[in-house]
Amino acid sequence: MDNEKVYQMPLAKVYPLLVNKAVRKGRTEEEVRTVIGWLTGYTPADMDRLLQEGTTYGDFFTAAPQLNPHRTLITGTVCGIRVENIEEPLLREIRYLDKLVDELAKGKALERILRKP
């Protein structure tokens, strides 16, 4: 899938996929929202509004109120690609979230998922 297609996907279509991935493994939507808030600075009320407004996935990240400065500590692979080596900045932000949700679904503790230096 080319990057522009990913950027133009409605957040309202992507968000349930992220939540379902975590919930299938015994985690909660609240934990997914905690991870999203940590990464982007969005509050739960912001998320509800964005989901209703038809925000695109790309706009969700480009308009994030406060991207966490510690997100660069997220390393590892998503879909066989090391997130820290992704050159396209917007795609890297998207893959950071994918990686965090993967870790959540694998049972990693929130304290370890939410990186601190």
Side-chain angles (χ1 to χ4, degrees), residues 22 26-36 104 108 110:
R27 303 309 285 257
T28 66
E29 181 176 2
E30 183 178 308
E31 289 174 307
V32 174
R33 285 185 173 229
T34 297
V35 165
I36 291 171
L104 190 63
K108 199 170 183 181
L110 268 178

Side-chain angles (χ1 to χ4, degrees), residues 12 72 77 79 94 111 115:
T72 57
T77 60
C79 300
I94 289 170
E111 297 77 35
R115 272 59 169 194

Side-chain angles (χ1 to χ4, degrees), residues 53-110:
E53 288 178 352
T55 302
T56 66
Y57 205 34
D59 288 345
F60 173 73
F61 284 96
T62 57
Q66 180 70 45
L67 290 171
N68 193 306
H70 303 305
R71 71 191 185 284
T72 57
L73 299 173
I74 301 168
T75 59
T77 60
V78 174
C79 300
I81 299 170
R82 297 203 66 78
V83 293
E84 62 271 25
N85 295 339
I86 297 172
E87 293 189 25
E88 165 59 39
L90 183 53
L91 185 59
R92 186 178 330 113
E93 301 302 335
I94 289 170
R95 292 305 188 183
Y96 282 153
L97 180 55
D98 290 341
K99 181 65 178 168
L100 294 176
V101 172
D102 282 353
E103 290 176 357
L104 190 63
K106 289 179 181 174
K108 199 170 183 181
L110 268 178

Side-chain angles (χ1 to χ4, degrees), residues 1-7 9 91 95:
M1 183 178 285
D2 94 53
N3 295 349
E4 277 307 311
K5 285 184 181 178
V6 173
Y7 303 156
M9 290 175 68
L91 185 59
R95 292 305 188 183

